């Protein structure tokens, strides 16, 4: 027969377990709210105002169509330093960084450097108008199925990835880029 002391210990134990379970529930809800919805293959660190991560993984084999409807692939540029930029016409930071991307590309395009801008699902006519308005001279690819966003496992726009001559992603940015960051991180690779 249970005694009063055993009943009291049993109630305390149940109360303790309930409090512990409630605490775990609160932690889980906080994590769900505070953590990003997408998984990134790298932990970001801060460099200047923009998140930058130094990483190392093989570039995804992205195959899309360019503005003229030609089939293109990142592997077409093996042997060059490649900057992939995922963007969209409706994205304000994407619009803000386009002049920076264009100026850097024009200055470095003769150094085995290519910049590939991959639009994240806008209609081709809208992309074409955007390219004309911003005077973009680098390759622009259309990505109606989010293949590039999925390939890099990052749904944030804009996002940029630096791929070395061997096809390895070595750096990534989420958010608008800066010319100073390009000069510090990309230009030295072009001199190798």
């Amino acid at each position: 027969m249970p005694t009063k002391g055993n009943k009291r210990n049993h109630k305390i134990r149940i109360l303790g377990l309930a409090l512990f379970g409630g605490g775990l529930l609160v932690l889980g809800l906080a994590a769900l709210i505070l953590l990003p919805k997408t998984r990134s293959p790298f932990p970001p660190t801060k460099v200047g105002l923009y998140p930058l991560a130094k990483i190392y993984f093989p570039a995804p084999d992205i195959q899309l169509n360019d503005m003229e409807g030609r089939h293109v692939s990142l592997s077409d540029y093996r042997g060059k330093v490649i900057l992939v930029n995922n963007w969209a016409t409706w994205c304000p930071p994407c619009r803000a960084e386009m002049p920076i991307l264009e100026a850097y590309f024009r200055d470095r395009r003769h150094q085995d450097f290519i910049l590939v801008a991959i639009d994240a699902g806008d209609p081709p006519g809208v992309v074409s108008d955007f390219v004309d308005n911003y005077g973009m001279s680098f390759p622009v690819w259309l990505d109606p199925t989010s293949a590039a966003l999925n390939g890099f496992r990052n749904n944030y726009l804009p996002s940029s990835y630096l791929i070395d001559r061997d096809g390895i992603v070595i750096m990534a940015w989420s958010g608008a880029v800066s010319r100073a960051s390009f000069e510090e991180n990309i230009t030295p690779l072009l001199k190798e």
Side-chain angles (χ1 to χ4, degrees), residues 14-35:
I14 289 175
L15 180 61
L17 288 173
L19 288 173
F20 181 73
L24 287 177
L25 181 62
V26 168
L27 285 174
L29 289 173
L32 182 65
I33 292 168
L34 297 175
L35 293 177

Side-chain angles (χ1 to χ4, degrees), residues 104 165 181-192:
Y104 189 81
R165 288 179 170 85
S181 183
F182 283 176
E183 294 296 348
E184 179 182 342
N185 296 291
I186 300 175
T187 303
L189 284 177
L190 302 177
K191 295 176 182 176
E192 292 178 358

Side-chain angles (χ1 to χ4, degrees), residues 40-45 47 50-60 81-86 104 152 154 159-165 167-174 177-178 180-190 192:
S40 176
F42 46 85
T45 58
V47 172
Y50 306 106
L52 168 72
K54 292 186 179 187
I55 53 181
Y56 189 87
F57 65 90
V81 174
I82 307 167
L83 180 66
V84 173
N85 179 260
N86 289 324
Y104 189 81
F152 285 104
N154 182 359
S159 57
S160 298
Y161 304 90
L162 183 60
I163 303 169
D164 71 10
R165 288 179 170 85
I168 302 298
V169 180
I170 59 172
M171 287 186 192
W173 293 262
S174 287
V177 296
S178 71
S181 183
F182 283 176
E183 294 296 348
E184 179 182 342
N185 296 291
I186 300 175
T187 303
L189 284 177
L190 302 177
E192 292 178 358

Side-chain angles (χ1 to χ4, degrees), residues 121-132:
D122 291 313
V126 172
V127 176
S128 181
D129 290 345
F130 187 95
V131 168
D132 290 344

Side-chain angles (χ1 to χ4, degrees), residues 19-186:
L19 288 173
F20 181 73
L24 287 177
L25 181 62
V26 168
L27 285 174
L29 289 173
L32 182 65
I33 292 168
L34 297 175
L35 293 177
K37 301 294 184 216
T38 60
R39 290 187 182 160
S40 176
F42 46 85
T45 58
K46 294 283 185 182
V47 172
L49 298 175
Y50 306 106
L52 168 72
K54 292 186 179 187
I55 53 181
Y56 189 87
F57 65 90
D61 185 26
I62 297 171
Q63 300 179 16
L64 297 168
N65 289 324
D66 65 11
M67 295 295 297
E68 288 76 39
R70 293 181 299 241
H71 186 73
V72 288
S73 173
L74 281 181
S75 62
D76 295 343
Y77 299 112
R78 184 64 56 93
K80 293 184 179 235
V81 174
I82 307 167
L83 180 66
V84 173
N85 179 260
N86 289 324
W87 65 285
T89 61
W90 50 264
C91 164
C94 301
R95 290 173 176 260
E97 74 179 358
M98 281 306 160
I100 296 165
L101 293 168
E102 178 62 28
Y104 189 81
F105 175 70
R106 285 183 186 253
D107 291 347
R108 304 294 182 197
R109 65 181 165 199
H110 301 295
Q111 295 179 300
D112 281 334
F113 171 74
I114 191 72
L115 191 159
V116 177
I118 302 177
D119 175 77
D122 291 313
V126 172
V127 176
S128 181
D129 290 345
F130 187 95
V131 168
D132 290 344
N133 289 337
Y134 281 80
M136 296 161 60
S137 62
F138 44 83
V140 176
W141 299 358
L142 302 173
D143 188 6
T145 63
S146 299
L149 295 174
N150 294 333
F152 285 104
R153 294 181 285 166
N154 182 359
N155 291 323
Y156 295 106
L157 294 177
S159 57
S160 298
Y161 304 90
L162 183 60
I163 303 169
D164 71 10
R165 288 179 170 85
D166 297 321
I168 302 298
V169 180
I170 59 172
M171 287 186 192
W173 293 262
S174 287
V177 296
S178 71
R179 179 69 185 241
S181 183
F182 283 176
E183 294 296 348
E184 179 182 342
N185 296 291
I186 300 175

